[in-house]
């Protein structure tokens, strides 16, 4: 192209500024998690640790509350992901394939649920769940996460269902398969990348969620990882920065895996192969 | 994810087959009941709660009080402060991150190196737990141990460490910078996707007609990007206006209420002081603001597109 060298230079400067703005905080967090306590005490902190020290990670994992939080977060995220998939699959199939009256209603609800401030929902939820003895319980939070991840899961999945070629389903019905049979043996296998992406999205939303958990879980035994981490910071003064950074890195690992995985997975040409083959 | 912005594919089958309707309803059933009980009903109940004197407690006794909560809010200085702070926060984060993201997306749409790196890094902040982002920035901005103060002092930009999150004058700007850090990458990736869908031949035709880069940007890029821009900025504004966790962990609304966003104010009313009705009224006010904003913003933007 005919970009002037001076412009080109400025362009690189801009991109590097962006990478520093974006990358430096992440780098600092990871490097802090690997620094020894002595290095933290030094007056001039260095960007990279002088020698890698994993003691912060073992300290973090020796912290009772943190391990429990990790376990609670894992449980809640896995259960709500499974529930979301079970509920979302038939609905998104119906959304993508049939034009029923529920379709505009559902899409309207998907939009509304993205827009409303959660404070309006959380108080009534609290009032509904408490008489049922579901506040301060893991099942209570799982149910709430399931319902509140559903809109986005439906939005994602119906796109994937729409991409499954109808010809395949028609072929199946010519061969005498009923609707349920078609969904299970034709649509579901082809939908695998979509189901995986939706599952990961749901898992990450539950893993990261803070507000509902803050309101619904008071019992220290049940607190999720974000709540435990937030409390860590609250008790300022005695904060051990190293273990805190290590715990933060551990809490981010699922998101990193999510992206590493998604990038490869979603570009695969599974569907086009199925039609042509 | 960008999935928010892609409309579902159009349907080919003709509407109104009764058998199809029955099948669709059957497939909907597993979702219908939980959604009605745990999302539609709470939403309506939440809106109505703003007109009652509901308080936290074991047996919630609620009386209809009309607009009392709203008039109390209007006479509460803290409400006006949180409203003002919310508007400053929402507009600054959304606008600044949009301008930066647009510039970046344009850059990444050229044949520069680092594009891959930039795109890979781009979605990480968005997917990180907001609590972790907040903790990370507290480490970065820490007055004595933080690298930001270290760097500023090395460059002789300041002679004493700044307590960014604890100082009255710097708390809100600092929180805004963190907000931009979280939101900008996602906006960039969305705009980049929009840029890549623009037909190249438009630029070629414009170049033949002698249009410069500037004129191409104003007359082709911006109009072609309009729908994407409207979608992402309106979502960003709503998300920012409703945000909670990030600032709750960064400053908890402090120092002295300088970063008390509307959601933090509502949370305190409900779960610290037990004023459920008042918090719900605050939520109602936020909903009205969002609806009015959406109405005018979308009407103006989408009409000029047609």
């Amino acid at each position: 192209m005919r970009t002037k060298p001076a412009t080109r230079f400025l362009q690189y400067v801009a991109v590097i500024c962006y990478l520093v703005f974006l990358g430096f905080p992440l780098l600092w967090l990871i490097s802090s998690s690997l620094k020894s306590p002595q290095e933290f005490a030094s007056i001039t902190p260095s960007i990279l640790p002088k020698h890698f020290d994993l003691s912060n990670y073992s300290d973090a994992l020796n912290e009772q509350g943190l391990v429990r939080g990790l376990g609670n977060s894992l449980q809640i995220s896995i259960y709500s992901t499974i529930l979301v998939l079970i509920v979302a699959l038939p609905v998104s199939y119906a959304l993508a394939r049939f034009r029923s009256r529920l379709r505009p209603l559902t899409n309207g609800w998907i939009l509304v649920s993205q827009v409303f401030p959660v404070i309006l929902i959380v108080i009534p939820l609290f009032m509904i769940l408490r008489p049922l003895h579901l506040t301060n319980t893991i099942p209570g939070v799982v149910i709430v996460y399931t319902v509140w991840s559903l809109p986005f899961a439906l939005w994602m999945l119906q796109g994937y269902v729409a991409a499954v070629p109808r010809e395949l389903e028609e072929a199946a019905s010519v061969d005498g398969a009923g609707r349920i049979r078609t969904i299970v043996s034709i649509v579901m296998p082809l939908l695998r990348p979509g189901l995986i992406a939706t599952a990961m999205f749901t898992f990450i939303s539950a893993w990261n969620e803070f507000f509902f958990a803050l309101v619904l879980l008071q019992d220290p035994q049940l607190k999720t990882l974000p709540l435990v981490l937030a409390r860590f910071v609250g008790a300022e003064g005695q904060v051990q920065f190293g273990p805190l950074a290590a715990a933060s890195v551990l809490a981010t690992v699922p998101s990193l895996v999510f992206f590493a995985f998604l990038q490869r997975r979603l570009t695969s040409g599974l569907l086009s192969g199925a039609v042509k083959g | 994810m960008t999935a928010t912005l892609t409309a579902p594919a159009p349907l080919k089958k003709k509407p109104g087959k009764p058998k199809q309707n029955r099948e669709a309803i059957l497939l909907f059933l597993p979702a219908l009941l939980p959604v009605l009980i745990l999302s539609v009903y709470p939403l309506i109940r939440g809106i109505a709660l703003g007109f009652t004197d509901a308080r936290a407690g074991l047996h919630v006794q609620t009386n209809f009080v009309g607009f009392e909560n709203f008039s109390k809010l209007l006479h509460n200085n803290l409400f006006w402060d949180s409203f003002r702070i919310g508007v400053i926060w929402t507009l600054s984060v959304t606008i600044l991150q949009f301008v930066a993201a647009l510039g970046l997306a344009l850059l990444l749409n050229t044949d520069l190196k680092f594009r891959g790196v930039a795109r890979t890094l781009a979605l990480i902040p968005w997917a990180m737990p907001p609590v972790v982002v907040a903790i990370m920035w507290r480490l970065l901005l820490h007055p004595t141990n933080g690298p930001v103060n270290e760097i500023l002092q090395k460059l002789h930009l300041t002679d004493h460490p700044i307590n960014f999150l604890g100082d009255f004058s710097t708390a809100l700007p600092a929180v805004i910078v963190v907000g931009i850090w979280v939101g900008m990458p996602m906006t960039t990736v969305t705009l980049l996707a929009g840029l890549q869908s623009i037909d190249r031949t438009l630029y070629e035709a414009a170049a033949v007609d002698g249009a410069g880069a500037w004129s191409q940007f104003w007359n082709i890029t911006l109009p072609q990007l309009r729908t994407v821009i409207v979608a992402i900025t309106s979502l960003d504004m709503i998300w920012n206006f409703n945000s909670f966790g990030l600032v709750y962990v960064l400053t908890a609304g402090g120092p002295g209420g300088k970063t008390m966003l509307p959601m933090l104010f509502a949370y305190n009313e409900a779960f610290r002081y037990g004023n459920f009705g008042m918090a719900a009224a605050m939520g109602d006010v936020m909903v009205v603001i969002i609806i009015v904003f959406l109405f005018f913003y979308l009407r103006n933007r989408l009409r000029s597109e047609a």
Side-chain angles (χ1 to χ4, degrees):
Chain A
M1 299 268 280
R2 54 207 156 64
T3 321
K4 284 183 209 149
T7 323
R8 185 98 294 194
F9 175 73
L10 286 177
Q11 286 179 339
Y12 275 111
V13 171
V15 172
I16 288 166
C17 286
Y18 166 69
L19 289 179
V20 169
F21 179 57
L22 197 64
F24 179 74
L26 295 169
L27 181 70
W28 185 259
L29 183 70
I30 296 169
S31 116
S32 301
S33 74
L34 294 167
K35 281 178 184 171
S36 64
Q38 295 92 300
E39 235 188 300
F40 261 106
S42 94
I43 310 163
T44 50
S46 59
I47 293 182
L48 290 175
K50 300 226 164 54
H51 26 244
F52 291 92
D53 186 343
L54 287 175
S55 66
N56 291 323
Y57 285 88
S58 60
D59 285 355
L61 288 174
N62 280 329
E63 189 80 35
Q64 280 278 311
L66 208 71
V67 176
R68 215 183 290 124
L70 206 72
N72 291 336
S73 274
L74 262 179
Q75 270 192 61
I76 291 177
S77 307
I78 290 172
Y79 294 151
S80 44
T81 303
I82 293 171
L83 274 179
V84 164
L85 287 187
I86 292 174
V87 174
L89 182 64
V91 177
S92 48
Y93 181 84
L95 282 175
R97 285 290 193 255
F98 303 126
R99 180 169 289 190
S100 80
R101 269 196 208 131
L102 289 169
R103 196 180 132 90
L105 277 178
T106 312
N107 285 331
W109 169 68
I110 291 174
L111 279 179
V112 163
S113 67
Q114 301 290 305
V115 165
F116 268 73
V118 276
I119 189 80
L120 278 181
I121 294 119
V122 82
I123 299 172
L125 265 183
F126 192 72
M127 292 160 82
I128 296 166
L129 293 176
R130 197 172 39 192
L132 301 171
H133 302 287
L134 282 171
T135 50
N136 239 340
T137 64
I138 295 224
V141 178
V142 168
I143 296 171
V144 171
Y145 282 5
T146 302
V147 170
W148 283 95
S149 310
L150 201 56
F152 208 92
L154 289 179
W155 199 248
M156 280 178 82
L157 257 188
Q158 63 174 307
Y160 287 104
V161 175
V164 171
R166 273 164 199 278
E167 294 90 321
L168 290 178
E169 280 184 61
E170 278 153 19
S173 86
V174 169
D175 291 347
R179 179 70 69 188
I180 301 295
R181 178 84 197 279
T182 313
I183 295 181
V184 173
S185 55
I186 305 287
V187 180
M188 257 172 66
L190 288 175
L191 216 55
R192 232 180 58 197
L195 286 171
I196 291 173
T198 312
M200 289 185 143
F201 180 83
T202 313
F203 184 92
I204 296 292
S205 338
W207 183 263
N208 291 354
E209 208 283 332
F210 183 67
F211 186 72
F212 283 128
L214 180 71
V215 172
L216 296 175
L217 297 171
Q218 305 297 328
D219 184 346
Q221 303 287 323
L222 297 176
K223 287 192 189 292
T224 56
L225 191 56
L227 293 179
V228 177
L229 285 175
R231 210 186 33 183
F232 242 123
V233 196
E236 184 129 46
Q238 310 152 19
V239 182
Q240 296 287 308
F241 282 130
L244 183 60
S248 301
V249 172
L250 289 178
T252 313
V253 166
S255 308
L256 297 181
V257 173
F258 171 59
F259 281 113
F261 199 82
L262 263 195
Q263 279 196 326
R264 271 195 222 148
R265 188 88 211 176
L266 295 183
T267 44
S268 66
L270 187 68
L271 287 178
S272 52
V275 184
K276 285 169 198 155
Chain B
M1 304 264 300
T2 42
T4 354
L5 304 170
T6 47
L11 294 168
K12 282 176 203 148
K13 289 205 174 164
K14 291 211 171 103
K17 280 194 203 157
K19 194 192 158 219
Q20 283 211 352
N21 246 329
R22 208 173 329 126
E23 266 192 296
I25 290 168
L26 273 176
L27 292 168
F28 264 88
L29 275 183
L32 216 51
L33 208 61
V35 164
L36 285 178
I37 297 175
L38 292 170
S39 134
V40 176
Y41 169 74
L43 205 59
I44 297 166
R45 177 91 186 268
I47 294 171
L49 216 55
F51 299 89
T52 71
D53 60 358
R55 289 193 53 83
L58 267 181
H59 301 285
V60 182
Q61 175 80 43
T62 63
N63 302 300
F64 179 77
V65 294
F67 286 89
E68 197 186 298
N69 289 325
F70 296 91
S71 83
K72 270 192 203 156
L73 276 180
L74 295 183
H75 292 100
N76 186 341
N77 283 335
L78 294 176
F79 162 77
W80 286 107
D81 282 345
S82 83
F83 178 70
R84 190 177 48 82
I85 292 166
V87 170
I88 296 175
W89 149 268
T90 305
L91 290 180
S92 342
V93 173
T94 310
I95 293 171
L96 292 175
Q97 94 185 4
F98 172 74
V99 172
L102 182 61
L104 246 157
L106 288 168
L107 274 182
L108 296 180
N109 198 34
T110 63
D111 55 343
L112 285 185
K113 288 179 183 107
F114 305 126
R115 289 165 60 179
V117 190
R119 276 186 225 165
T120 311
L121 271 175
L123 285 170
I124 295 175
W126 175 76
M128 277 173 87
V131 170
V132 169
V133 174
I135 288 173
M136 183 176 77
W137 278 91
R138 286 182 62 151
L139 294 176
L140 284 165
L141 297 175
H142 196 277
T144 51
N145 291 49
V148 173
N149 266 307
E150 180 69 23
I151 292 165
L152 288 181
Q153 281 171 295
K154 281 242 169 74
L155 295 173
H156 298 288
L157 290 171
T158 171
D159 53 357
H160 59 279
I162 302 167
N163 187 1
F164 288 102
L165 294 167
D167 200 285
F168 275 26
S169 57
T170 54
L172 186 56
V175 167
I176 288 170
V177 169
V178 182
I180 294 170
W181 188 87
V182 177
M184 191 179 102
M186 178 68 188
T187 310
T188 309
V189 171
T190 311
L191 290 173
L192 188 59
L195 281 176
Q196 287 172 341
S197 69
I198 299 177
D199 188 353
R200 294 249 147 230
T201 54
L202 288 174
Y203 292 104
E204 284 158 22
V208 170
D209 290 347
W214 218 197
S215 143
Q216 288 184 14
F217 173 74
W218 283 108
N219 296 312
I220 300 172
T221 311
L222 274 189
Q224 291 284 318
L225 273 184
R226 177 164 272 135
T227 345
V228 177
I229 292 174
V230 170
I232 192 68
T233 50
S234 44
L235 273 176
D236 275 337
M237 285 218 193
I238 293 163
W239 286 335
N240 287 326
F241 191 63
N242 287 336
S243 68
F244 176 80
L246 186 71
V247 178
Y248 179 84
V249 179
L250 273 172
T251 61
K258 289 288 178 204
T259 58
M260 189 66 77
L261 298 184
M263 267 292 288
L264 292 168
F265 177 89
Y267 170 81
N268 282 343
E269 277 299 323
F271 297 103
R272 278 178 75 176
Y273 313 127
N275 297 326
F276 279 0
M278 190 68 106
M282 180 74 190
D284 288 341
V285 173
M286 289 170 74
V287 169
V288 170
I289 293 169
I290 290 171
I291 289 174
V292 169
F293 155 77
L294 276 182
F295 178 75
F296 283 103
Y297 187 77
L298 292 181
R299 196 186 59 168
N300 283 334
R301 281 311 175 88
L302 293 177
R303 192 174 46 190
S304 52
E305 182 192 24

